[in-house]
Amino acid sequence: MIKCVNGSVRLDPVLALTEPRPTVQPGGEARVTLTVRNAGAEVEQYRFEVLGECSRWTDVVPRQVSVLPEEAREETVTVVFRPPPAPASVAGEVPFGVRCVSLESPQRCAVVEGDVTVGAVVGLRDRLDPVTPRARWTGRYRAVFDNTGSVPVTLKLSASDTKRALRFAVAPEELAVAPGRTATGYLLVKPRQPAMLGTVKQHPFTVEYEASDGVRRGQLAGVFEQRPILSKGLVALAVVLVALLGAGAVLLARRAGGPGGPEPIAGPPPPVALASVTRVTDASVQLVWQRSPYATGYVAQEVLADGSVGSSKQVDERDQSALTWTELAPGKHCFRVLAVGAAGRSTPSEPKCVELKAAPPSSPAGPSGAAGADAGAEPVKGAYVIYTPPTAIDDRTAQGVAEKLVAKLQALGVPARLVDSRESKRIADGTGGLWVVLQDGFPDFQAALAECNKRRSVAPDCFAVAP
């Protein structure tokens, strides 16, 4: 585009990439030179920015240059690609663009496009967890696979034993494992010939798996211990069962008010004592009371300051002796319990009270706009966990999202914290700064991955980083 200002001709900048299709490995770095030429007649100041999905981990160095006029004069900048390590990165071609904008007039701009190829990282960890490896009839096992790479893996599962003494059932026979995720296959093992008497027999077997590409394959070794159906232990078990049946009969008789149980009474059941009222969170408490053999249920009531009854909760289980009361406001709360029987309710217990304090206010936003951030924090030595995709520091539309996630995790007892990636050498960003919610101090990748799987209801896109 040509523009005339006071007789001078101003043109859009002319851009050229030395390599429009670079290749980079996850956790690595690739650099491409970008040439900018000023086709106008006056000196221009240009600013660069990266467009596309890879903008989170791509930067331009320097971000601003001054270019003299005349077509023969050129300046160069470097486009730096730093995708995060697997499994956080996505393998394959990622389109990108670099926009060059004049600082004197934003209407004078140009865009150069390309495709960066992020290499695939293949990683798979496997293990066979015995659930019931010793049995008379059926053994149960779990085949667990962790995808530590950046590409999905589809596995075909099967099982066999060399002596053909066992039958197997595998479910599912084909297992898909996404990057950074864990998938589990289930295995049932049955002996072909049940043993009525005799000694314990050991049956070794293997679980084979093969990826859909036909290259990755492996085996997991297991042992099924077949017990005889009749043994000395079975006789001892029969004696225990008889004793348990006798104890159950006595318990049922007591509950029914028969011989050996409490004497039946006329009218409502006697009152029960409220043992304790304990704070659970800033908005919930737990009530524990004495169980009554004459009650068919209970009623918990909140006692207001003037002595009147506020809300109440019904407990229909006669053996239940605890209740969690939620959604309480800060302040003093008092409660009492009544026993419920066939002929009515007992008199209320003596009330007990607890004081709930308001949650402390969140700390004010710092200079970069994030509240409560541990700006200089560095993950300690070992594996660590990053909850959900990190948020760019200069992304104003996402302010407050990371802080809310920290609050949710801390409410669950998770020691998560908010850190500034610019102060960390271990957290890769390549964009000039990310707010990252992390938890660290795990001994190995497996422990960090287990924490991710445990918290996916709050942070579904959590991923673990190896030491």
Side-chain angles (χ1 to χ4, degrees), residues 49 54 73 89 94 119 209 222 229 279 282 378 380 403 410 427 436 448 460:
E49 59 181 345
C54 66
R73 302 302 298 269
S89 60
V94 181
Y209 63 88
I229 297 175
R279 174 188 173 276
D282 292 331
E378 173 73 53
V380 299
E403 291 85 347
Q410 290 180 349
I427 303 175
V436 178

Side-chain angles (χ1 to χ4, degrees), residues 401-423:
V401 174
E403 291 85 347
K404 292 179 181 178
L405 177 59
V406 171
K408 289 181 180 179
L409 291 168
Q410 290 180 349
L412 297 175
V414 179
R417 67 180 191 273
L418 191 63
V419 302
D420 185 343
S421 67
R422 296 174 297 184
E423 302 298 329

Side-chain angles (χ1 to χ4, degrees), residues 350-380:
E350 287 295 323
K352 287 186 178 293
C353 303
V354 66
E355 185 79 19
L356 296 181
K357 297 181 180 180
S362 58
S363 58
S368 58
D374 190 356
E378 173 73 53
V380 299

